[in-house]
Amino acid sequence: MRRRLFHVPQWMVSLGRMLGLVWQAQPAIFLSLILLTALQGVVPLLTAWITKLLFDLLALVLQGSGSVDLVRNLAVLILIQAAALVVSQMIVPASRYLGEELGRKLTVTVESAVYKKIGSFGGIGYFENPGFHDTFRLASQGARFGPMQGLHTLTAFFQSTITLLGFLGMLIAFNPLLAALVGLAALPQLWLELKLGRQRFGLAFSLSPDERRVFYYGYLLSDANAAKEIRLFGLANHFLDGLLDTYRKIHAARRRLDLRELRWKLLLEALSALVFSIAFGVVAVQAFARRLSLGDVTLYVNAVRSIQSALSGMVYAIAELNEQALFFKQYDHLMALPQPVQIAPSPRAVPTLTSGIEIRGVSFRYSERHPWVLRNLDLSIPAGSCLAVVGLNGAGKTTLVKLLTRLYDPTEGQILWNGIDIREFDLEDLRRQVSVIFQDFMRYAFTAQENIGLGKVEFLDDLNRVRYAAEKAGAHETVTNLPQGYQTMLSRAFGEDGTGTDLSGGEWQKIALARLFMRQADLLILDEPTASLDPQAEYATYNRFMELVQGGTCLLISHRLSTIRVADMIAVLENGSISEYGIHADLLAREGAYARLYHMQADRYKTFC
Ligand SMILES: Nc1ncnc2c1ncn2[C@@H]1O[C@H](COP(=O)(O)OP(=O)(O)OP(=O)(O)O)[C@@H](O)[C@H]1O
Ligand SMILES: [Mg+2]
C-alpha cells in the first residue's frame, strides 16, 4: 500500500470543501467578511494598548504633572480610541448583513446542487431506501449550515489569532508561566468540545428516522388527503400520541447529552474562573511590589481575560467545525452516490421500435432483503401490437413496468428493444420513446393546463396542444366545466382567489391520461389507467385508445378483464413468471387461471343483473 507523505485530516478536507462552496456562492462577500474580521481582530489590541497609555497618563496627572503636552497626548489618545470603537461597532452590523446575504446565496447554491444531484438519479431505488433519506436530511443540513460555520470558524480564527498573539506576546513578556497556565487551561475545553461534537452528530444520525417520523405525523395530521380517513376512523389523537411519543424519545436522548454537557461545562467554567483569579492575584502582587504601573495592571488583567475569551472562541469554533464537518461528509457522500441504474459509457440512440420488445429471462427483487418478485420471466411485445398483462394483486405487473422504463434494472436477465439491451440506450432518449401512466399517477397542485402540459414540458404553454391531448383522453369536457377552464388550479390548497378545485378520482385519471397523449412515443404503457373511470368513460377511453395507438405498440395492465379483450395478446403473470399467453378466446378455452379470473368477474355482473 502506498503511504501518503502528508496526511490531511478529514476536518481540513471538509473545511476546504465548505469554503469552496462559500466562495462559489459569493466570492466578493466572502473576501469582504474576512477583511472586516481581520480589522475587528486588531481593535481589542489597539484599545487595550490605548487604555494602558491612558491609565499611565492619568497616573502622571494624579501625581500633579499636568503639562500642555500631556493634555494634547490625552486628547489624541481619546480620539484614536473613539475612532477604533466607532469602526469596530460599525463592523458588527455590516458583518451581520453580509453574513445573512451570504447565507441566502449559499442556500440557493446548496439546494440547487442537492436537488440537481437527486434529479439526476435515473432510477428510483434510493428513494425507497430509508438510509438514503437520513443521508439526504443530514446532507442538506450539513451543506446549509456547514459552509457558513466553516467561514465563521475561519474568521473567528483569524480574528482570535490576531488578538491572541498580541495579548499572549504581552503576557509572555510579563510572566511566561502565567501565559502557559492560561493557554493550557483551554485544552480540556478543546477535548470536551470535540467529544461533544462527535456525540451530537452521532445522536443526530441515530435520531434521524425519529425526526422523519415526527415530520410524517405532522404531515398526516395536516394533509387534505389524510383528513378524510383520520376523521372517519377517529385517528387524530392516535397520531398525535405517536407524534408526542416520538418527541419524548428524541427529547430524552437530547436531554441525556445536554446533562452530560452541563456537568462538564460547569467544571470547566469553574476552572476558567480559577485561572483568571490566579492571574489577577499574580498581577496584584506585582503591582503592590511596585513592579507594575497602573496602566500595566489594566493591560495584563485585560490580556488574561482577552486570551481566555479568544481561546474559548477558537476552541468552540474548532469543535463546531468538527461537528459540521461530520454533517458535511454526508453532503459529500450524497454527491458521490453513483447512479442507481447502470449508465452506458457511450449510450446509443433509441431506434424506432420496428421489431418489438423482448423480456428475456428476467428476475427481479427490490433488494437482497426482499423476496423475488419476478423469476425467469420471458415475454415479448411485437412492434405494432398491444399486449395485456393480467394477474392478481402483487403479481409484479407494476414492477414489470418499472423495469421496462428502467426505474430499476433487472437483477438478472435483460430487456431488449429491437434486439438491443435497453441498458445500452441513453436513458432520457429511452424515456422520450416510452409513455406511461402508473396506477398511482401524480396529482400536481398546478393548473389543469400545467397538469396536462407536464406530459411534455416543452409544450407546457401550448394551449392548443394541451387541448388536443385533453380531447384524446376525454378530459376536455371536464376541464372546460371548471371555473377557469384550463387555468383552474387543481388544488384547494393553492388557488389564491379561492377558485382552486379538486377533481374526482375518474376526472384525475382522465387528466393523467391526457398527459400521456402530450407525447408521441413508440411504446405506450397503461398501468390500470381506467380503474376509477365509470363504465361509459372506460369503454370510450379504451376504444379511443385503440384507435389512437393503431400501428403503435402498447402494454395494458388492468384488472377488468372485459376491457382488455381489445388487446392483441393477453399474458397472465403468476408467481413471478408468465403462466398463460394467448388471445382471449384461446385462454378462455384453456380453462386455466385466466378463465377462472374472467368467470369470477362475469359471474359477479350476472349476479347483480
Ligand atoms: N418499492 C418496493 N419495495 C419492495 N417491495 C415492493 C416494492 N414495490 C412493490 N413491492 C412488492 O413487489 C410485489 C409486486 O408488486 P407490484 O406493485 O409489481 O404488483 P402488481 O402486480 O402491480 O399489483 P397490483 O395489481 O396490486 O397493482 C408485491 O409483493 C409488493 O409487495
Ligand atoms: Mg400494480
Side-chain angles (χ1 to χ4, degrees), residues 361-415:
V362 163
S363 297
F364 179 77
R365 55 181 168 183
Y366 280 93
S367 81
E368 281 172 14
R369 293 194 188 166
H370 289 88
W372 291 101
V373 178
L374 302 175
R375 210 69 181 113
N376 266 321
L377 184 95
D378 291 308
L379 186 64
S380 57
I381 315 172
S385 73
C386 233
L387 172 76
V389 175
V390 299
L392 297 178
N393 291 133
K397 304 179 294 295
T398 300
T399 304
L400 183 62
V401 179
K402 290 182 194 165
L403 297 183
L404 280 167
T405 46
R406 292 209 59 211
L407 294 173
Y408 284 94
D409 278 335
T411 317
E412 288 164 15
Q414 50 181 182
I415 299 175

Side-chain angles (χ1 to χ4, degrees), residues 526-553:
L526 305 186
D527 185 359
E528 293 192 60
T530 55
S532 304
L533 295 187
D534 60 57
Q536 185 185 321
E538 185 182 11
Y539 180 76
T541 303
Y542 270 100
N543 279 344
R544 202 175 310 113
F545 183 75
M546 290 313 287
E547 265 169 43
L548 288 164
V549 297
Q550 281 228 327
T553 314

